[in-house]
Amino acid sequence: MGSRAGPRLKPPSRFLTFAEPRALIELGIGIASAPLLLQAPRGDGHPVVALPGFLASDGSTHMLRRYLARMGYEAHGWGLGRNIGNMMTRRYRLYETVAALHKKTGRKVSLVGWSLGGIYARDVALEMPDAVRYVISLGSPFANDVRATHAGKLYERLGGESIDNIAEADLIRIQSDLSMPATAIFTRTDGVVNWKTCVLRESSKAENIEVLGSHCGLGVNPAVLWAVADRLAQKEGAFDPFDRKGPFKHGYPRR
């Protein structure tokens, strides 16, 4: 999320918003790409929790979780029903979920959050760093100006939580550098949130990966799925920059 003192950004153009149904094409390509996706680096069995975006439930991350399970991870949904916002209250239940999974498995938990789910993921990582191994956000508006989205008013109406009433310290905290490796995946053709709100400060253990696609297709886009599997396959505590090679190399634009 962005600070109120930061630059004001505009939501994506209506052209990009109306083009979001192209996510269905990404879904089709993702399903057809299954044989290639299974060639990604395999995991070591550690637990991974997938967090859905605004208005979505665990059903939206089914393909992502099924893929991660096939790649050798213990994949979990967030188990909190539909994500209708009200993050400042509901986040405590997620703390309990991650803490219980960490205790049960004896291993650190990786978090993959889609859109609003990525903001939850960063919040959990900042609150309990000893329990979190890796954080991946997919089109999550945590940086700069969080108001640069077409979902802001609906978030406030359904969640009963006004963005303007969230403490400045909390808004700044969410965009803080994490102590564990982190990857922010984004697309410049995002039709829901301004892509500039989805990038983190790059460092020796933090990176941004741009993909071609839509906001609503990030959880099924094969280039995204490959990148997620590749990032999570790194040894605990290790971090090497993402290598944009492989079967989906054309899905990662170079700027």
Side-chain angles (χ1 to χ4, degrees):
M1 283 186 178
S3 167
R4 294 188 183 90
R8 296 304 298 267
L9 299 173
K10 295 181 179 180
S13 70
R14 289 297 181 182
F15 172 79
L16 289 176
T17 302
F18 293 144
E20 277 295 312
R22 66 191 186 278
L24 294 174
I25 298 177
E26 295 170 71
L27 172 61
I29 296 175
I31 294 174
S33 300
L36 294 176
L37 286 168
L38 293 176
Q39 296 177 22
R42 296 193 60 82
D44 61 2
H46 78 270
V48 180
V49 177
L51 312 175
F54 181 51
L55 297 182
S57 65
D58 282 332
S60 68
T61 63
H62 175 75
M63 181 171 172
L64 170 62
R65 287 184 286 113
R66 184 176 180 181
Y67 172 57
L68 291 178
R70 287 287 302 273
M71 296 307 296
Y73 300 95
E74 184 179 318
H76 298 266
W78 80 329
L80 298 180
R82 192 168 297 280
N83 188 349
I84 59 172
N86 199 10
M87 174 187 165
M88 304 310 289
T89 299
R90 302 183 81 200
R91 60 182 178 173
Y92 296 103
R93 294 178 62 189
L94 193 55
Y95 295 165
E96 295 173 354
T97 298
V98 173
L101 189 56
H102 175 48
K103 181 178 181 180
K104 176 182 178 181
T105 62
R107 307 187 69 178
K108 290 186 177 182
V109 182
S110 288
L111 304 173
V112 181
W114 190 350
S115 195
L116 179 58
I119 299 179
Y120 274 100
R122 293 181 64 84
D123 177 70
V124 173
L126 289 164
E127 179 66 21
M128 43 199 310
D130 292 339
V132 177
R133 171 170 170 163
Y134 205 110
V135 175
I136 300 177
S137 59
L138 312 178
S140 301
F142 59 84
N144 298 307
D145 186 7
V146 71
R147 296 160 190 78
T149 171
H150 291 301
K153 292 183 179 179
L154 189 57
Y155 172 92
E156 294 179 342
R157 185 178 303 117
L158 295 180
E161 177 179 88
S162 172
I163 296 175
D164 288 331
N165 289 335
I166 298 176
E168 181 74 10
D170 281 315
L171 290 172
I172 294 175
R173 171 177 171 274
I174 293 298
Q175 60 181 318
S176 300
D177 296 334
L178 303 181
S179 59
M180 69 289 299
T183 296
I185 299 177
F186 72 98
T187 171
R188 291 177 189 253
T189 54
D190 195 310
V192 178
V193 302
N194 188 311
W195 69 268
K196 293 181 180 179
T197 69
C198 305
V199 295
L200 48 69
R201 284 183 291 269
E202 294 194 330
S203 68
S204 59
K205 57 183 177 181
E207 66 183 344
N208 297 298
I209 299 176
E210 181 184 356
V211 298
L212 296 174
S214 65
H215 181 89
C216 294
L218 286 171
V220 296
N221 184 311
V224 173
L225 296 176
W226 178 278
V228 170
D230 179 88
R231 301 292 76 201
L232 294 179
Q234 297 177 95
K235 292 183 179 180
E236 184 174 334
F239 183 85
D240 291 313
F242 180 60
D243 187 346
R244 291 167 172 77
K245 294 181 180 179
F248 304 103
K249 60 183 179 181
H250 296 299
Y252 311 110
R254 290 187 177 277
R255 300 286 175 175

